[in-house]
């Protein structure tokens, strides 16, 4: 009987630490790496990696797959890139905890029809995800928006001391139930209503429970550096490990300000603040159209917004304030409809607010409000507003991980979603490493493996060493590439031949096997 269940022979190992690649063979047994050797190994299953790179499975620190994994547990869009672990609950959004199901569903920026909602807390959600046997590992974060909805509803008001204590209690409960992080999304309702004092108190609670603090900061446009400074001050006050999500500068007037943001991160690290960031390799973001509106307009949730749009005077104020952002931090031609429920503007998917406005003889601001009004304020957009130089600058920084801000999807579907769900990791390896030389292969892999693993204190993944969990990606450095585009997003990445998740061959010869080995990870996150 063979000593190994699986062996990977002939590949060049990029171990995830940033060290130079080495020709090594890997022996795997009972879901763990048992040997790395210069000698050819034999096992029950042998994988020939000649001419390919063997790396730790990629860890996506910023995913929203908690809203999609229950319906697409095979995670084809991620596995084909070599991704083996997703950290969910980002931007303040998590599908737990809740008491009022209608309220949390109504507040969601995602298609809640993809969830069974058969839970109320982290324990119940974990059971639901484990029950669908996902192809990838999952680390759960609890979102500030969900916590605030559970205690304060969707109103623009500050918590009483008792309510703040209740929110802190929900975070402590989630940590006990296995969450690995706490996140805020300070441009999204109801998180946008939170004061800096509220956030500091909640982050202090999460830090005391050992959770990572991930934040979609309060501003990514003209006040980017102020928002980065607020996040750092919050972490410094609380002693939290801080992850600044998808660091970027939106809008032509703000391009270049990422340099100062990165300097603030460096200065904070010199003072002992544990702060890093992540980035996706695209010059467009994707979010809800509602998030482009002023905070007061969404006080009370989507129903309240729709009521305001029905009043001519209030509608004019909303449009005027949105119009003021155009040209400064929003480009009307770059505000593109990605998806929406069936309705009058279903045929406008892929069209910009400017194009819709021209077709209807109105301006882009009014066009955007019409789309919101006719589709129940549930509209997903792709927002082209960044520049390539900024993306490269952030990606080069040694303390920045690669992360997608995407979710699990099928190979074909409706709408025109952002290509980041399909291609983020393959795009970095194909375009930023091979084609442009922005990063070395070893450093790119480090930014996808050991660096993100360290943020959630994942000690048994993220590097290839004997004794570590066998989450492994095998890819061809000469061909790996993203094939998804903004115009034609429904295309899987290619060039990754083999993916093991907890030692289970999930991808072989570039095709899904149907075998799944993913787990919802507990805190500490290497304990299944």
């Amino acid at each position: 009987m063979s000593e190994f269940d699986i062996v990977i022979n002939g590949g060049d190992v990029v171990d995830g630490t940033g060290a130079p690649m080495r020709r090594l063979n890997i022996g795997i047994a009972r879901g763990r790496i048992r040997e790395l050797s210069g000698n050819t190994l034999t096992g029950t299953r042998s994988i020939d990696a000649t001419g390919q790179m063997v790396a730790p499975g990629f860890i996506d620190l910023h995913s929203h797959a908690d809203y999609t994994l229950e319906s697409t547990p095979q995670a084809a869009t991620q596995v084909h890139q070599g991704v083996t672990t997703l950290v969910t609950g980002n931007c303040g959004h998590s599908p737990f905890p809740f008491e009022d199901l209608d309220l949390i569903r109504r507040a969601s920026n995602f298609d809640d029809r993809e969830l069974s909602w058969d839970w109320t807390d982290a324990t119940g959600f974990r059971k639901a995800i484990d029950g669908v046997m996902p192809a990838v590992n999952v680390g759960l974060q609890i979102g500030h928006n969900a916590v605030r909805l559970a205690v304060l509803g969707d109103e623009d008001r500050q918590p009483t001391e008792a309510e703040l204590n209740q929110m802190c209690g929900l975070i402590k409960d989630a940590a006990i139930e296995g969450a690995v992080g706490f996140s805020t999304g300070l441009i999204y309702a109801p998180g946008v209503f939170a004061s800096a004092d509220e956030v500091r108190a909640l982050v202090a609670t999460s830090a005391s429970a050992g959770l990572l603090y991930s934040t979609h900061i309060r501003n990514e446009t003209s006040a980017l550096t102020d928002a980065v400074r607020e996040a750092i001050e919050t972490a410094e006050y609380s002693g939290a490990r801080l992850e600044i999500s998808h660091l970027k500068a939106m809008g032509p007037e703000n391009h270049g300000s990422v340099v100062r943001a990165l300097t603030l991160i460096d200065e904070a690290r010199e003072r002992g603040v544990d702060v890093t960031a992540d980035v996706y390799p695209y010059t467009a973001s994707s979010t809800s159209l509602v998030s482009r509106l002023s905070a007061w307009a969404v006080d009370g949730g989507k129903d309240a917004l729709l009521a305001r749009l029905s009043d001519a005077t209030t509608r004019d104020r909303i449009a005027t304030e949105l119009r003021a952002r155009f040209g400064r931090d929003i480009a009307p031609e770059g505000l593109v409809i990605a998806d929406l429920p069936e309705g009058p503007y279903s045929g406008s998917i892929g069209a910009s607010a400017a194009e819709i406005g021209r077709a209807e003889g109105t301006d882009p601001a009014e066009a955007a409000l019409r789309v919101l009004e006719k589709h129940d304020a549930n509209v997903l957009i792709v927002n082209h507003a960044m520049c390539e130089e900024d993306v490269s600058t952030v990606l080069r920084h040694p303390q920045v991980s690669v992360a997608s801000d995407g979710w699990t999807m099928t190979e074909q579907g409706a709408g025109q979603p952002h290509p980041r769900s399909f291609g983020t990791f393959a795009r970095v390896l194909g375009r930023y490493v091979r084609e442009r030389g922005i990063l070395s292969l070893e450093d790119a892999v480090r930014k996808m493996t050991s660096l993100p693993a360290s943020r959630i204190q994942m000690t048994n993944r993220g590097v290839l060493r004997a004794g570590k969990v066998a989450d492994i990606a095998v890819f061809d450095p000469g061909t790996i590439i993203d094939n998804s585009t903004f115009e034609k997003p429904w295309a899987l990445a290619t060039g990754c031949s083999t993916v093991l998740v907890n030692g289970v061959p999930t991808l072989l010869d570039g095709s899904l096997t149907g075998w799944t080995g993913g787990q919802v990870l507990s805190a500490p996150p290497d304990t299944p």
Side-chain angles (χ1 to χ4, degrees):
M1 186 174 180
S2 174
E3 179 182 358
F4 302 113
D5 302 322
I6 300 172
V7 296
I8 303 174
N9 287 318
D12 291 316
V13 169
V14 185
D15 69 5
T17 67
M21 68 183 72
R22 296 180 294 161
R23 181 69 52 81
L24 290 172
N25 304 310
I26 301 177
I28 298 158
R30 297 176 296 284
R32 298 219 171 221
I33 298 169
R34 301 299 174 182
E35 184 175 339
L36 290 96
S37 172
N39 301 319
T40 300
L41 303 175
T42 59
T44 304
R45 177 185 296 274
S46 181
I47 296 170
D48 182 7
T50 302
Q52 300 183 82
M53 300 295 159
V54 183
F58 304 145
I59 299 167
D60 190 347
L61 262 184
H62 193 103
S63 172
H64 293 286
D66 36 2
Y67 287 85
T68 58
L69 262 172
E70 200 177 19
S71 61
T72 52
Q74 67 276 11
T77 41
Q78 283 64 36
V79 171
H80 277 271
Q81 299 179 65
V83 175
T84 57
T85 299
L86 305 176
V87 180
T88 62
N90 283 288
C91 295
H93 302 301
S94 64
F96 65 85
F98 67 86
E99 295 182 0
D100 186 333
L101 176 58
D102 289 338
L103 180 62
I104 196 168
R105 292 180 69 174
R106 187 76 176 131
S108 173
N109 290 323
F110 302 91
D111 187 350
D112 61 55
R113 294 170 299 180
E114 297 192 54
L115 296 177
S116 67
W117 295 103
D118 188 25
W119 57 81
T120 58
D121 56 14
T123 296
F125 183 67
R126 174 195 174 112
K127 289 178 180 176
I129 297 302
D130 274 334
V132 298
M133 296 184 293
V136 292
N137 303 309
V138 186
L140 304 180
Q141 296 185 100
I142 181 172
H144 176 218
N145 289 328
V147 169
R148 215 174 197 272
L149 283 166
V151 177
L152 301 179
D154 50 16
E155 299 176 15
D156 180 1
R157 69 178 181 87
Q158 299 310 301
T160 65
E161 183 177 354
E163 288 169 333
L164 187 61
N165 288 337
Q166 189 178 350
M167 288 194 283
C168 289
L170 290 173
I171 294 169
K172 292 176 184 176
D173 289 345
I176 292 169
E177 294 165 0
V180 301
F182 167 68
S183 78
T184 57
L186 298 177
I187 71 164
Y188 298 111
V192 67
F193 306 135
S195 68
D197 287 341
E198 175 187 326
V199 174
R200 278 197 297 269
L202 298 178
V203 173
T205 296
S206 70
S208 68
L211 303 183
L212 176 70
Y213 173 43
S214 305
T215 181
H216 181 143
I217 54 178
R218 205 176 290 274
N219 188 290
E220 296 177 325
T221 58
S222 57
L224 171 65
T225 53
D226 289 339
V228 169
R229 191 176 290 110
E230 178 191 0
I232 290 171
E233 288 172 354
T234 298
E236 201 159 13
Y237 167 84
S238 64
R241 305 190 316 278
L242 170 63
E243 183 72 16
I244 297 177
S245 299
H246 43 56
L247 181 59
K248 56 184 175 289
M250 302 285 287
E253 291 187 2
N254 308 307
H255 293 165
S257 59
V258 296
V259 174
R260 178 56 183 156
L262 291 169
T263 299
L264 289 173
I265 290 172
D266 289 338
E267 291 171 349
R269 290 183 62 82
E270 289 174 3
R271 297 195 305 272
V273 183
D274 187 355
V275 51
T276 59
D278 52 66
V279 67
Y280 48 78
Y282 299 91
T283 56
S285 64
S286 184
T287 187
S288 63
L289 180 54
V290 168
S291 70
R292 307 297 90 170
L293 305 182
S294 299
W296 67 266
V298 295
D299 180 10
K302 293 176 182 176
D303 290 337
L305 169 62
L306 293 170
R308 292 184 181 104
L309 291 177
S310 67
D311 176 80
T313 301
T314 310
R315 183 192 188 95
D316 183 63
R317 180 185 170 192
I318 294 171
T320 297
E321 292 179 3
L322 176 59
R323 201 171 286 123
R325 297 187 65 183
F326 287 152
R328 177 169 52 87
D329 55 53
I330 300 175
E333 296 286 355
L335 197 71
V336 176
I337 306 301
D339 202 9
L340 35 63
E342 190 68 29
Y345 289 94
S346 296
S348 296
I349 290 175
S352 69
E355 290 171 322
I356 295 170
R358 285 194 294 270
E360 298 191 354
T362 190
D363 77 322
E366 172 58 25
L369 298 188
R370 290 180 183 180
V371 176
L372 281 171
E373 188 175 42
K374 297 298 183 181
H375 291 269
D376 205 29
N378 187 19
V379 180
L380 184 68
I381 60 169
V382 169
N383 190 7
H384 297 268
M386 293 126 72
C387 72
E388 183 57 52
E389 184 177 354
D390 279 1
V391 173
S392 297
T393 296
V394 177
L395 185 60
R396 285 190 190 99
H397 192 279
Q399 298 300 329
V400 170
S401 299
V402 174
S404 74
D405 201 8
W407 46 89
T408 57
M409 305 181 78
T410 56
E411 295 184 34
Q412 292 294 326
Q416 197 163 303
H418 196 296
R420 63 195 181 190
S421 294
F422 299 85
T424 289
F425 294 83
R427 182 176 180 82
V428 169
L429 293 169
R431 303 189 190 277
Y432 287 81
V433 173
R434 182 176 66 242
E435 295 179 3
R436 298 181 56 199
I438 296 296
L439 299 171
S440 69
L441 179 63
E442 291 88 346
D443 197 33
V445 169
R446 180 186 69 86
K447 288 170 171 286
M448 300 175 180
T449 56
S450 66
L451 180 57
S454 72
R455 302 313 294 150
I456 58 169
Q457 299 180 329
M458 187 186 292
T459 58
N460 279 335
R461 303 168 204 265
V463 294
L464 295 183
R465 287 182 187 150
K468 304 296 185 183
V469 174
D471 287 350
I472 298 176
V474 181
F475 63 92
D476 184 340
T479 63
I480 191 167
I481 200 69
D482 60 311
N483 297 302
S484 176
T485 66
F486 289 104
E487 295 76 21
K488 295 181 178 181
W490 297 94
L492 296 174
T494 51
C496 188
S497 64
T498 301
V499 174
L500 306 183
V501 181
N502 294 304
V504 176
T506 304
L507 189 78
L508 288 175
D509 297 322
S511 298
L512 295 177
T513 63
W515 300 322
T516 60
Q519 302 167 338
V520 180
L521 306 176
S522 296
D526 286 314
T527 305

